[in-house]
Structures are given as structure tokens and as C-alpha cells.
Amino acid sequence: MDVEQLYEMLRKVQEPKGFFFNKDRRRTIELLEGLLTNKERYGYMSCPCRLAADDREKDRDIICPCVYREPDVVEFGSCYCNLYVSREWNEGIIPHVYVPERRPPGKMPF
């Protein structure tokens, strides 16, 4: 699968759920490329903005879309990576603020 195929596949599934790709297409493509790299590296698409443990079970919470995406988008209008955002975030209706890391330190591989 190439990055354009991934973009279209995820867009069709996620937009009806209210999750949109960041309108900064360059940023979005870079993040999707990171997902594909991680799929090749680990066998699953772990979040490109976090360190993976190379253990599917340990990384289950950061397999994209991660379990933190929905609460991040609800609270901040964007997920941690800024890959998935709300319509209001993309339209500039809500401010673009720093999204803090929700992943508990005990889940991180270091």
C-alpha cells in the first residue's frame, strides 16, 4: 500500500466518525509515511509521534488511531500528532494548542 491509498482508505473510514486529516497536506503525508514505515518495521502502524516497544501487545494503545485520539480531539480539537483533527480545528474556529501526552509513563518503552 502506498501513502495515497492509505490516505483515501483512512479518510473514507474516519471522516464519517468526525475525525478529519489535518488540512496541512504535507504534514499529513509525512505522518502517514511514518505509519507505513512503522508497519514495515513492526508489523503494525504504531503512532509515528511516539516510541514503540516493538511488541504489539505493549503498543496496543498507540496503534493508529490510538486510544488517546478521541479524548484529544474532543478536548483540544487535534490528536497528539495533529494527524486527526476536528472540522473546527481545520477551519480555524478553535485555537491550535499544544496537545499534551496522555500515554502513561509506565506504558513508554524507556
Side-chain angles (χ1 to χ4, degrees), residues 18-76:
F19 299 103
F20 301 87
F21 282 134
N22 186 329
K23 69 179 182 178
D24 180 344
R25 182 140 172 109
R26 183 171 171 233
R27 171 86 174 143
T28 296
I29 295 301
E30 287 173 354
L31 290 167
L32 293 175
E33 287 171 344
L35 287 174
L36 291 173
T37 296
N38 285 346
K39 182 174 174 71
E40 187 176 306
R41 183 179 292 151
Y42 306 122
Y44 51 92
M45 290 193 294
S46 66
C47 175
C49 300
R50 295 178 168 104
L51 292 175
D54 194 11
D55 179 321
R56 187 180 193 92
E57 192 54 40
K58 287 181 181 176
D59 291 336
R60 185 168 299 285
D61 64 320
I62 61 167
I63 295 174
C64 190
C66 74
V67 300
Y68 312 106
R69 176 191 67 173
E70 187 169 347
D72 283 350
V73 173
V74 167
E75 186 173 349
F76 301 103

Side-chain angles (χ1 to χ4, degrees), residues 92-107:
I93 295 170
I94 61 173
H96 296 186
V97 297
Y98 173 75
V99 179
E101 173 64 272
R102 287 184 193 264
R103 192 174 199 209
K107 299 278 282 177

